Coordinates of all heavy atoms in Angstrom, one line a residue:
F1206 N 0.8 -1.2 0.0 CA 0.0 0.0 0.0 C 0.9 1.3 0.0 O 0.5 2.2 -0.7 CB -1.0 0.0 1.2 CG -1.9 -1.2 1.2 CD1 -2.4 -1.6 2.4 CD2 -2.2 -1.9 0.1 CE1 -3.3 -2.7 2.5 CE2 -3.1 -3.0 0.1 CZ -3.6 -3.4 1.3
D1207 N 1.9 1.3 0.8 CA 2.8 2.5 0.8 C 3.4 2.7 -0.5 O 3.5 3.9 -1.0 CB 3.9 2.3 1.9 CG 3.3 2.2 3.3 OD1 3.0 3.2 3.9 OD2 3.2 1.1 3.8
E1208 N 3.8 1.7 -1.2 CA 4.4 1.9 -2.5 C 3.5 2.5 -3.5 O 3.8 3.3 -4.3 CB 4.9 0.5 -3.0 CG 5.6 0.6 -4.4 CD 6.1 -0.8 -4.9 OE1 6.1 -1.7 -4.0 OE2 6.4 -0.9 -6.1
V1209 N 2.2 2.0 -3.5 CA 1.2 2.5 -4.4 C 0.9 4.0 -4.2 O 0.9 4.8 -5.1 CB -0.1 1.7 -4.3 CG1 -1.2 2.3 -5.1 CG2 0.1 0.3 -4.8
V1210 N 0.7 4.3 -2.9 CA 0.4 5.7 -2.5 C 1.5 6.6 -2.9 O 1.3 7.7 -3.4 CB -0.1 5.8 -1.1 CG1 -0.3 7.3 -0.7 CG2 -1.3 5.0 -0.8
D1211 N 2.7 6.2 -2.5 CA 3.9 7.0 -2.8 C 4.1 7.3 -4.3 O 4.4 8.4 -4.7 CB 5.2 6.4 -2.2 CG 5.2 6.4 -0.7 OD1 4.4 7.2 -0.1 OD2 6.0 5.6 -0.1
S1212 N 3.9 6.2 -5.1 CA 4.0 6.4 -6.5 C 3.0 7.3 -7.1 O 3.3 8.2 -7.9 CB 3.9 5.0 -7.2 OG 5.0 4.1 -6.9
L1213 N 1.8 7.2 -6.6 CA 0.7 8.1 -7.1 C 1.0 9.6 -6.7 O 0.8 10.5 -7.5 CB -0.6 7.6 -6.5 CG -1.9 8.3 -7.1 CD1 -2.0 8.0 -8.6 CD2 -3.1 7.8 -6.3
Q1214 N 1.4 9.8 -5.5 CA 1.7 11.1 -5.1 C 2.9 11.7 -5.8 O 3.0 12.9 -6.1 CB 2.0 11.2 -3.6 CG 0.7 10.9 -2.7 CD 1.0 10.8 -1.2 OE1 2.1 10.6 -0.8 NE2 0.0 11.1 -0.5
Q1215 N 3.9 10.9 -6.1 CA 5.0 11.4 -6.9 C 4.6 11.8 -8.3 O 5.1 12.8 -8.9 CB 6.1 10.4 -7.0 CG 6.9 10.1 -5.7 CD 7.8 9.0 -5.8 OE1 8.1 8.5 -6.9 NE2 8.4 8.5 -4.7
L1216 N 3.6 11.2 -8.9 CA 3.1 11.5 -10.2 C 2.2 12.7 -10.3 O 2.3 13.5 -11.2 CB 2.4 10.2 -10.8 CG 3.2 9.0 -11.1 CD1 2.3 7.8 -11.4 CD2 4.1 9.3 -12.3
L1217 N 1.3 12.8 -9.3 CA 0.2 13.8 -9.3 C 0.2 14.8 -8.2 O -0.7 15.6 -8.1 CB -1.1 13.0 -9.4 CG -1.3 12.1 -10.6 CD1 -2.7 11.4 -10.5 CD2 -1.3 13.0 -11.9
G1218 N 1.2 14.7 -7.2 CA 1.2 15.6 -6.1 C 0.8 15.0 -4.8 O -0.1 14.1 -4.8
D1219 N 1.3 15.5 -3.7 CA 1.0 15.0 -2.4 C -0.5 15.2 -2.1 O -1.0 14.4 -1.2 CB 1.8 15.7 -1.3 CG 3.3 15.3 -1.5 OD1 3.6 14.3 -2.1 OD2 4.1 16.0 -1.0
D1220 N -1.2 16.1 -2.7 CA -2.6 16.4 -2.3 C -3.6 15.7 -3.2 O -4.8 15.9 -3.1 CB -2.8 17.9 -2.4 CG -2.6 18.5 -3.8 OD1 -2.0 17.8 -4.6 OD2 -3.0 19.6 -4.1
I1221 N -3.1 14.7 -4.0 CA -4.0 14.0 -4.9 C -5.0 13.2 -4.1 O -6.1 13.0 -4.5 CB -3.2 13.2 -5.9 CG1 -4.2 12.6 -7.0 CG2 -2.5 12.0 -5.2 CD1 -4.9 13.7 -7.8
A1222 N -4.6 12.7 -3.0 CA -5.5 11.8 -2.1 C -6.1 12.7 -1.1 O -5.4 13.3 -0.3 CB -4.7 10.6 -1.5
R1223 N -7.4 12.7 -1.0 CA -8.1 13.4 0.0 C -8.0 12.6 1.3 O -8.0 13.2 2.4 CB -9.6 13.5 -0.3 CG -9.9 14.6 -1.4 CD -11.4 14.8 -1.6 NE -11.6 16.0 -2.3 CZ -12.8 16.4 -2.7 NH1 -13.9 15.7 -2.3 NH2 -13.0 17.6 -3.3
A1224 N -7.9 11.3 1.2 CA -7.7 10.4 2.4 C -7.3 9.1 1.9 O -7.6 8.7 0.8 CB -9.0 10.3 3.2
V1225 N -6.5 8.4 2.7 CA -6.0 7.0 2.4 C -6.4 6.1 3.6 O -6.0 6.4 4.7 CB -4.5 7.0 2.2 CG1 -4.0 5.6 1.9 CG2 -4.1 7.9 1.0
I1226 N -7.2 5.1 3.3 CA -7.8 4.3 4.3 C -7.4 2.8 4.1 O -7.5 2.3 3.0 CB -9.3 4.3 4.3 CG1 -9.8 5.8 4.5 CG2 -9.9 3.5 5.4 CD1 -9.4 6.4 5.9
V1227 N -6.9 2.2 5.1 CA -6.6 0.7 5.1 C -7.6 0.1 6.1 O -7.6 0.4 7.3 CB -5.2 0.4 5.4 CG1 -5.0 -1.1 5.5 CG2 -4.2 1.0 4.4
D1228 N -8.5 -0.7 5.6 CA -9.5 -1.3 6.4 C -9.7 -2.7 6.0 O -9.9 -3.0 4.8 CB -10.8 -0.5 6.3 CG -11.9 -1.0 7.3 OD1 -11.5 -1.6 8.3 OD2 -13.1 -0.6 7.1
R1229 N -9.7 -3.7 6.9 CA -9.9 -5.1 6.6 C -8.9 -5.6 5.5 O -9.3 -6.4 4.7 CB -11.4 -5.3 6.1 CG -12.4 -5.0 7.2 CD -13.8 -5.1 6.6 NE -14.8 -4.8 7.6 CZ -15.3 -3.6 7.9 NH1 -14.8 -2.5 7.2 NH2 -16.2 -3.4 8.8
G1230 N -7.7 -5.1 5.6 CA -6.7 -5.5 4.7 C -6.8 -5.0 3.3 O -6.2 -5.6 2.3
E1231 N -7.6 -4.0 3.1 CA -7.9 -3.4 1.7 C -7.6 -1.9 1.7 O -7.8 -1.2 2.7 CB -9.3 -3.6 1.3 CG -9.7 -5.1 1.2 CD -11.1 -5.3 0.8 OE1 -11.9 -4.4 0.8 OE2 -11.5 -6.5 0.5
L1232 N -7.1 -1.4 0.6 CA -6.7 0.0 0.5 C -7.7 0.8 -0.3 O -8.1 0.4 -1.4 CB -5.3 0.1 -0.3 CG -4.8 1.5 -0.6 CD1 -4.6 2.3 0.6 CD2 -3.6 1.4 -1.5
T1233 N -8.2 1.9 0.2 CA -9.1 2.8 -0.4 C -8.4 4.2 -0.5 O -8.0 4.7 0.5 CB -10.4 2.9 0.3 OG1 -11.0 1.6 0.4 CG2 -11.4 3.8 -0.5
I1234 N -8.4 4.7 -1.7 CA -7.8 6.1 -1.9 C -9.0 7.0 -2.3 O -9.6 6.8 -3.3 CB -6.7 6.1 -3.0 CG1 -5.6 5.1 -2.6 CG2 -6.2 7.5 -3.2 CD1 -4.5 4.9 -3.7
H1235 N -9.3 8.0 -1.5 CA -10.3 9.0 -1.8 C -9.7 10.1 -2.6 O -8.8 10.7 -2.2 CB -11.0 9.5 -0.5 CG -11.7 8.4 0.2 ND1 -13.1 8.3 0.2 CD2 -11.3 7.5 1.1 CE1 -13.5 7.3 0.9 NE2 -12.4 6.8 1.5
V1236 N -10.4 10.4 -3.7 CA -9.9 11.5 -4.6 C -11.0 12.4 -5.0 O -12.2 12.1 -4.8 CB -9.3 10.9 -5.9 CG1 -8.1 10.0 -5.5 CG2 -10.3 10.1 -6.7
A1237 N -10.7 13.6 -5.5 CA -11.7 14.6 -5.9 C -12.4 14.1 -7.2 O -11.7 13.4 -8.0 CB -11.0 15.9 -6.2
P1238 N -13.7 14.4 -7.4 CA -14.4 13.9 -8.6 C -13.8 14.3 -9.9 O -13.9 13.6 -10.9 CB -15.8 14.4 -8.3 CG -15.7 15.5 -7.3 CD -14.5 15.2 -6.5
D1239 N -13.2 15.5 -9.9 CA -12.7 16.0 -11.2 C -11.3 15.4 -11.5 O -10.7 15.7 -12.6 CB -12.6 17.5 -11.3 CG -11.8 18.1 -10.2 OD1 -11.5 17.4 -9.2 OD2 -11.4 19.3 -10.3
R1240 N -10.7 14.6 -10.6 CA -9.4 14.1 -10.8 C -9.4 12.6 -11.0 O -8.3 12.0 -11.1 CB -8.5 14.4 -9.5 CG -8.3 15.8 -9.2 CD -7.6 16.6 -10.3 NE -6.3 16.0 -10.8 CZ -5.2 16.2 -10.2 NH1 -5.1 17.0 -9.1 NH2 -4.1 15.7 -10.6
V1241 N -10.6 12.0 -11.0 CA -10.7 10.5 -11.1 C -10.0 10.0 -12.4 O -9.2 9.0 -12.4 CB -12.1 10.1 -11.0 CG1 -12.2 8.6 -11.4 CG2 -12.7 10.4 -9.7
A1242 N -10.3 10.7 -13.5 CA -9.7 10.2 -14.8 C -8.2 10.3 -14.8 O -7.5 9.4 -15.3 CB -10.3 11.0 -15.9
D1243 N -7.7 11.4 -14.2 CA -6.2 11.6 -14.2 C -5.6 10.5 -13.3 O -4.5 10.0 -13.6 CB -5.9 13.0 -13.6 CG -6.3 14.1 -14.5 OD1 -6.4 13.9 -15.7 OD2 -6.5 15.2 -14.0
V1244 N -6.2 10.2 -12.2 CA -5.7 9.2 -11.3 C -5.7 7.8 -12.0 O -4.7 7.1 -11.9 CB -6.5 9.1 -10.0 CG1 -6.1 7.9 -9.1 CG2 -6.3 10.4 -9.2
C1245 N -6.8 7.5 -12.6 CA -6.9 6.2 -13.3 C -5.8 6.1 -14.5 O -5.2 5.0 -14.7 CB -8.3 6.0 -13.9 SG -9.5 5.6 -12.6
Q1246 N -5.6 7.2 -15.2 CA -4.6 7.2 -16.2 C -3.2 6.8 -15.7 O -2.5 6.0 -16.2 CB -4.6 8.5 -16.9 CG -3.6 8.6 -18.1 CD -4.3 8.1 -19.4 OE1 -5.4 8.5 -19.7 NE2 -3.7 7.1 -20.1
S1247 N -2.9 7.5 -14.6 CA -1.6 7.2 -13.9 C -1.5 5.8 -13.3 O -0.5 5.1 -13.5 CB -1.3 8.2 -12.9 OG -1.2 9.5 -13.4
M1248 N -2.6 5.4 -12.7 CA -2.7 4.0 -12.2 C -2.5 3.0 -13.2 O -1.9 1.9 -13.0 CB -4.0 3.8 -11.4 CG -4.2 4.7 -10.2 SD -3.3 4.3 -8.8 CE -4.2 2.9 -8.1

């Protein structure tokens, strides 16, 4: 999870994630609605 979040922040900026949640062994990254396509492109 750390590797994924760090890579995404390096590509799109530290503020790209509104929140990062690890729950029940799963990673959820909350992003702004107008940035979803940019995030998916990088992912």
Side-chain angles (χ1 to χ4, degrees):
F1206 302 154
D1207 295 280
E1208 181 181 347
V1209 169
V1210 174
D1211 290 345
S1212 295
L1213 189 61
Q1214 290 177 336
Q1215 290 175 11
L1216 291 168
L1217 299 175
D1219 292 340
D1220 60 346
I1221 190 61
R1223 287 184 165 181
V1225 177
I1226 304 295
V1227 176
D1228 187 18
R1229 300 173 177 89
E1231 299 177 350
L1232 173 64
T1233 302
I1234 303 174
H1235 293 261
V1236 299
D1239 60 344
R1240 301 300 305 277
V1241 172
D1243 295 337
V1244 171
C1245 285
Q1246 186 83 54
S1247 296
M1248 296 286 282

